Amino acid sequence: MDLAVTRAQYDAVRAAKHLPDVLKQVLAKAAANGDGYTLHLTYEEATALNELCSWNVHTDAQGDVTPDTKVYDELVRAIMTHPEF
């Protein structure tokens, strides 16, 4: 699966706590594409990325995603709606 991510999304994943080695390797191999990157993910790597991002999504008292974790929510949505996932 090829997943296009923005620079902000790429940076957020790199900065996430408990980034597994398998995702560090994916990020290291990412191909630059304009103002972002393309991540080449196996199903297992995409699942790991989805779980990592899900853990980092936080909501406020109204149930809305907090602004500082919206980048992770956007990645979860991109993975879950990707035709190859």
Side-chain angles (χ1 to χ4, degrees):
M1 152 197 237
D2 289 341
L3 181 67
V5 298
T6 65
R7 176 68 184 204
Q9 291 169 330
Y10 178 87
D11 291 342
V13 173
R14 286 185 57 95
K17 290 184 179 179
H18 311 295
L19 182 64
D21 289 340
V22 67
L23 292 180
K24 287 178 185 176
Q25 293 170 3
V26 167
L27 294 174
K29 295 177 188 175
N33 68 8
D35 63 345
Y37 295 89
T38 299
L39 305 180
H40 304 288
L41 302 157
T42 64
Y43 179 79
E44 291 78 12
E45 292 164 344
T47 300
L49 180 59
N50 185 50
E51 289 177 3
L52 176 75
C53 291
S54 294
W55 293 331
N56 285 283
V57 174
H58 302 287
T59 56
D60 60 20
Q62 291 77 36
D64 298 321
V65 174
T66 60
D68 60 325
T69 66
K70 187 174 180 169
V71 67
Y72 295 110
D73 184 59
E74 291 169 349
L75 276 167
V76 169
R77 292 175 189 275
I79 294 166
M80 294 301 293
T81 60
H82 196 284
E84 293 179 32
F85 186 67

